[in-house]
Amino acid sequence: PRRMMRARLDGHYRDARRYPAAIVNVTNRCNLACRHCFVFRDGNPNAAPVSVRDEPDDDAILDTLRALRERHGIVSMLWMGGEPLLRRRLLARGIPLFERNTITTNGTVPLVDFGPEVLYVVSLDGPEDVNDALRGEGTHRRVLRNLDRLPPDFASPVQVQCVVTRRNERRIAELVAGLRDTRVGWLTFSFYVPRSGEESVDAWPTIADRAWAVREVMRLKRLHGGFVRNSTRSLELMLPPHATRVTQACPARDLVLPLYLEGDRFVTPFCCYGNDVDCTRCGAWVVFDLAARAEARA
């Protein structure tokens, strides 16, 4: 008999809706404790330390994902954590369930070659001193060392994603320049999504205050071409007054099913960035990329 997980599917979840994409955190375990991580920050139900014994086994997770795929027509899966490569056997069995797969990783765990159809998204948030202030001492070097050690025939493409914050916005040009001669195929930028009411060194008070950082990414895209993969239109939509229009009709809410582990069950939070987000200051790559694609199709 199949071992199905319990689930509490609420948030914006609709039982009869088709979700072309889903995001699943297959473990709450991680070997890092990044200061700006939306999964583990204060107020998130997944913040408590966990061990492998606290989590559902591979069969239970995969059987549940298979059932959700059939119910909602899920085509694309983003595998996250915690650090998803701590469950690489689960990934090896889960990837064939979906047509398109992305693994988001902190890059400090050796990558597994899952073939050319599986994209790795590796997190780096600036040059070494800036990144390590957020992600832990030595993290930047460990990531670049892992990438440098990839064999020449490693087939899975590697993208770096940088979370732009007030803390690192003046240093992201250095990150781009430092990655041009590495095994990284391209780079994307997302912008920090704060908690409701948050005032911190990472959060811009308003989207108008964020505009300089968005324009800096636009400048880097003009300078480095396709190596910066954000579309020009998605970046334009992050600027006032467009950003408010996009977030008020958030496309990710209707198109992406977020699945978070909470103990022995999946839950669907209010947003793929958690239950405590400030939507008015959203800078999530997925939201604005989906909005730009929808415009192009219209």
Side-chain angles (χ1 to χ4, degrees), residues 22 24 65 74-79 90-104 114-121 156-157:
V24 60
L65 293 180
I74 300 169
V75 174
S76 178
M77 180 60 74
L78 188 149
W79 306 87
L90 183 153
L91 295 177
R93 295 174 58 194
I95 285 168
L97 299 178
F98 302 95
E99 292 182 28
R100 293 191 292 273
N101 293 271
T102 300
I103 300 170
T104 180
F114 286 118
E117 303 305 318
V118 178
L119 170 67
Y120 276 106
V121 175
S156 297

Side-chain angles (χ1 to χ4, degrees), residues 16 35 45 123 135 209 268 291:
R35 293 179 181 272
S123 297
R135 296 184 171 271
D209 296 303
T268 54

Side-chain angles (χ1 to χ4, degrees), residues 207 210 231-255 278-295:
I207 55 174
R210 187 183 70 194
S231 73
T232 298
R233 184 54 181 162
S234 71
L235 292 166
E236 291 172 346
L237 290 175
M238 287 189 178
L239 295 170
H242 311 296
T244 300
R245 171 174 58 83
V246 171
T247 56
Q248 286 178 343
C250 177
R253 182 177 60 198
D254 296 332
L255 299 175
D278 182 350
C279 293
T280 66
R281 292 185 284 169
C282 178
W285 179 89
V286 63
V287 171
F288 292 89
D289 186 69
L290 286 172
R293 290 173 185 268
E295 276 192 0

